[in-house]
Amino acid sequence: MEQYEPDRLSPVQLAAMRRSYRNGRASLSRRSLLRASAGGALAVGGLGALSGCGIPAAGKTQGGVSAEDHSAKEKTINFSNWTEYMDVDDSEKHHPTLDAFTERTGIKVKYTEDINDNVEFFGKIKPQLAAGQDTGRDIIVVTDWLAARMIRFGWVQKLDAANLPHAYTNLSQQFRNPDWDPGRAYSYPWQGISTVIAYNKKALDGIEVKSISDMLDNPKLKGRIGFLSEMRDSMGMTLLDMGKDPSKFTDDDFDAAIARLQKAVDKGQIRRFTGNDYTSDLTKGDLAACVAWAGDVVQLKADSPDVDFVIPDSGYLTSTDNMLIPNKARHKTNAERLMDYYYEPEPAAKLAAYINYVCPVDGVKPYLAKIDKDAANNPLIIPDKAMAAKSHAFRSLSQKEETAYEEKFAKLTGA
């Protein structure tokens, strides 16, 4: 287990954190709050804040610290999740899938939408986690980089596979083995978040864009191309275009990708680096094509006939928001039952139909088709095998790498 050591933020990392708060995945995007998965710098910020609090490091036992499980006597679960990340009925007062779980099991779910971004939420629970105390939550949902940190610090519990038969069987292959939790011993995805290329057909006016190279090299698109201000998304997509695997790249590979984008910046090909405020520019046609988040694209396509997307042959980036059981949670078995429930195809389909993110559950498509045929056939929600095979994750970074890469990216973007 990685022992906690206070980290100091560089000015560049602080700037990256502010960008994510202001206009990155942590900002509001219509019905959904997109996650701040770029947050290596955010993760450092959240964890680094421990250094001034006199809070001891986590214990040294890998796998987290269990408490007496009260599941048998206390038929309840305390579930913390992101805003607008659960299905609701027309009255907006009830969550149908949670109600169905309670009706089946007798377990009541206290569902709280108290996560607005990873860092802010982690600030709420880190004192208890670091002190070995109960956070008052049985399930939390955090983005992959923060999940990785919490697992390494031993602040979450190892899952009991016997309580997760559907999750084990139905988890999509593309999400099974992240480098930070091989085999999903401590986490299961709640939803996936994909990074793709979006474009405005009218603005392209017949120009073909199927790759990052098409965006960067066609002089007819000068000043009409957008990239994201989140380092992992823009650099990951560029690395893929250069034939490099984002899960295995070297410092030299990263520098080559920076140089590739710098050339495009210098010649004015890239209009700007944005958070999800690219959506208005894309809809208006000020951007002909851009690196974009799939959650936005689903909504944009519904609103504008000119907006569409493409998955490059080289691949695309996917991150995940993940369910974890914190140390000392009182209702671990109940929590595992709820986690497993959302890997049954029917409730997974009902959830996907409402929130429109990448569903991590295999076998859900025919169930979703009964609810919403368009959603079932949308590869941004239900990736087909060909698309899933093109999915890549950005590898975990050390503190040294994080600092160096953010500094280079900030210089590139002018942040």
Side-chain angles (χ1 to χ4, degrees):
M1 185 197 76
E2 177 182 320
Q3 183 71 11
Y4 165 72
E5 294 180 1
D7 296 316
R8 295 187 180 276
L9 289 176
S10 69
V12 168
Q13 289 175 312
L14 287 169
M17 181 171 68
R18 285 192 293 270
R19 287 198 308 275
S20 286
Y21 279 138
R22 184 173 61 252
N23 62 1
R25 288 186 187 170
S27 63
L28 184 63
S29 174
R30 296 194 176 151
R31 64 190 282 189
S32 300
L33 284 170
L34 295 174
R35 254 49 61 195
S37 74
L42 298 181
V44 174
L47 294 171
L50 280 171
S51 61
C53 300
I55 297 172
K60 296 183 178 180
T61 303
Q62 179 67 29
V65 181
S66 62
E68 180 182 353
D69 192 348
H70 297 266
S71 294
K73 295 182 179 179
E74 299 177 4
K75 296 294 185 179
T76 187
I77 300 169
N78 295 305
F79 185 178
S80 283
N81 204 350
W82 294 77
T83 306
E84 305 286 348
Y85 221 17
M86 179 67 74
D87 57 307
V88 297
D89 65 5
D90 291 339
S91 73
E92 297 188 355
K93 295 180 180 180
H94 300 283
H95 302 292
T97 57
L98 289 177
D99 292 345
F101 173 80
T102 297
E103 184 176 354
R104 181 200 296 183
T105 64
I107 299 170
K108 295 182 179 180
V109 182
K110 181 182 179 182
Y111 184 74
T112 307
E113 295 181 328
D114 59 347
I115 307 179
N116 290 309
D117 63 73
N118 288 287
V119 175
E120 181 184 58
F121 176 69
F122 191 62
K124 296 178 183 179
I125 64 175
K126 66 191 176 187
Q128 293 97 329
L129 290 169
Q133 299 172 353
D134 181 12
T135 66
R137 297 166 174 86
D138 301 303
I139 299 178
I140 61 174
V141 177
V142 298
T143 306
D144 43 18
W145 62 264
L146 182 53
R149 292 272 177 142
M150 293 177 68
I151 291 168
R152 289 200 301 270
F153 289 152
W155 286 352
V156 297
Q157 298 187 52
K158 190 171 185 178
L159 301 174
D160 185 347
N163 294 329
L164 295 156
H166 295 98
Y168 179 82
T169 300
N170 295 334
L171 175 61
S172 297
Q173 187 63 41
Q174 72 182 99
F175 299 118
R176 282 188 176 270
N177 286 293
D179 64 355
W180 48 270
D181 187 16
R184 294 288 182 178
Y186 300 93
S187 68
Y188 269 94
W190 177 248
Q191 298 290 291
I193 306 168
S194 296
T195 304
V196 299
I197 293 175
Y199 60 86
N200 184 306
K201 289 178 280 189
K202 186 176 181 180
L204 284 178
D205 192 25
I207 299 171
E208 187 175 71
V209 171
K210 292 185 176 181
S211 68
I212 296 296
S213 288
D214 289 339
M215 294 168 61
L216 295 178
D217 296 337
N218 191 330
K220 294 181 180 180
L221 296 176
K222 182 177 179 179
R224 298 194 290 146
I225 294 299
F227 274 72
L228 292 168
S229 59
E230 302 292 4
M231 183 266 288
R232 282 167 173 78
D233 295 288
S234 288
M235 293 305 297
M237 292 293 281
T238 304
L239 284 163
L240 282 168
D241 187 71
M242 298 173 68
K244 303 298 181 180
D245 186 343
S247 69
K248 300 177 181 178
F249 69 90
T250 65
D251 288 346
D252 288 342
D253 295 333
F254 187 89
D255 289 345
I258 285 284
R260 176 91 168 96
L261 290 177
Q262 186 66 59
K263 181 180 178 181
V265 169
D266 292 344
K267 67 181 182 181
Q269 188 77 4
I270 296 176
R271 182 182 182 92
R272 65 190 185 106
F273 291 82
T274 72
N276 67 358
D277 52 331
Y278 67 82
T279 56
S280 60
D281 285 348
L282 184 64
T283 302
K284 290 185 296 183
D286 292 340
L287 286 175
C290 61
V291 178
W293 290 310
D296 286 334
V297 177
V298 171
Q299 295 297 321
L300 290 175
K301 278 174 59 65
D303 294 342
S304 172
D306 293 327
V307 174
D308 212 333
F309 74 98
V310 65
I311 303 297
D313 289 341
S314 59
Y316 67 101
L317 266 289
T318 301
S319 58
T320 50
D321 287 329
N322 308 277
M323 296 179 283
L324 304 169
I325 299 178
N327 285 356
K328 296 291 185 175
R330 286 178 62 89
H331 312 109
K332 182 174 183 286
T333 299
N334 289 347
E336 289 166 338
R337 291 183 68 182
L338 182 61
M339 292 168 69
D340 192 62
Y341 166 75
Y342 278 106
Y343 275 82
E344 295 178 25
E346 187 170 355
K350 292 177 180 177
L351 182 66
Y354 183 80
I355 63 177
N356 295 160
Y357 280 83
V358 180
C359 181
V361 182
D362 274 345
V364 79
K365 186 172 182 176
Y367 294 86
L368 182 56
K370 295 177 182 179
I371 304 170
D372 186 335
K373 289 184 179 180
D374 289 340
N377 292 319
N378 189 334
L380 296 181
I381 300 173
I382 307 294
D384 56 26
K385 289 184 179 180
M387 182 170 172
K390 294 181 179 180
S391 172
H392 298 266
F394 200 95
R395 70 172 173 83
S396 299
L397 300 178
S398 67
Q399 168 63 16
K400 182 179 179 181
E401 288 175 324
E402 180 68 44
T403 300
Y405 293 168
E406 284 287 3
E407 287 178 351
K408 292 174 181 177
F409 188 71
K411 184 178 180 181
L412 167 74
T413 63

